[in-house]
Amino acid sequence: MATITIRQAYVGQPAQAVAVLREHASPLLAEHGIKWEWEHHSANICGKGVKGHCQVNPDEIEVELRLGLLLSAFSHRIEQEIAKALQQVPAKLALV
């Protein structure tokens, strides 16, 4: 099993960051059969072969995923895709 931890700094309100994440990341997650359930500024993430957590702190977003055996082979690519998506959050917050 592989664990991926990614942090992305941002400037803004946590509620705005959550709104951006929900709007822009939810379709991508759904496309891969992954769901997340939000409670305030944190979300539990689950899907076939993946479990994790997303926490929106006042100055950074932290995503931690635990990948099952099959997805572990793709951990580097998965980490790159998540990092790429999170890097877009600050720019999208500037538009809010």
Side-chain angles (χ1 to χ4, degrees), residues 44-62:
N44 290 317
I45 302 168
C46 63
K48 192 169 185 172
V50 62
K51 286 186 178 182
H53 185 78
C54 177
Q55 178 68 42
V56 179
N57 299 310
D59 60 351
E60 78 173 3
I61 300 165
E62 180 179 352

Side-chain angles (χ1 to χ4, degrees), residues 4-8 61-64 78-79 82-83 86:
I4 296 172
T5 303
I6 301 170
R7 291 178 178 84
Q8 174 64 51
I61 300 165
E62 180 179 352
V63 176
E64 181 175 297
I78 293 168
E79 184 173 6
I82 294 168
L86 287 178

Side-chain angles (χ1 to χ4, degrees), residues 3 5 7 12 20 25-26 31 33 40 44 49 59 62 69 72-73 79 87 94-95:
T3 300
T5 303
R7 291 178 178 84
V20 168
S26 292
E31 181 179 310
H40 302 289
N44 290 317
D59 60 351
E62 180 179 352
L69 186 60
S72 291
E79 184 173 6
Q87 288 170 357
L95 300 174

Side-chain angles (χ1 to χ4, degrees), residues 7-93:
R7 291 178 178 84
Q8 174 64 51
Y10 74 95
V11 176
Q13 296 297 316
Q16 291 173 321
V18 168
V20 168
L21 285 168
R22 283 183 163 185
E23 181 180 347
H24 296 285
S26 292
L28 176 65
L29 292 173
E31 181 179 310
H32 295 288
I34 300 170
K35 296 180 183 180
W36 58 3
E37 294 188 20
W38 285 92
E39 186 171 321
H40 302 289
H41 301 139
S42 66
N44 290 317
I45 302 168
C46 63
K48 192 169 185 172
V50 62
K51 286 186 178 182
H53 185 78
C54 177
Q55 178 68 42
V56 179
N57 299 310
D59 60 351
E60 78 173 3
I61 300 165
E62 180 179 352
V63 176
E64 181 175 297
L65 297 176
R66 291 174 305 283
L67 305 177
L69 186 60
L70 294 175
L71 288 180
S72 291
F74 303 100
S75 63
H76 183 69
R77 175 161 174 132
I78 293 168
E79 184 173 6
Q80 287 178 330
E81 290 297 319
I82 294 168
K84 182 179 174 182
L86 287 178
Q87 288 170 357
Q88 296 176 20
V89 171
K92 293 183 187 307
L93 280 171

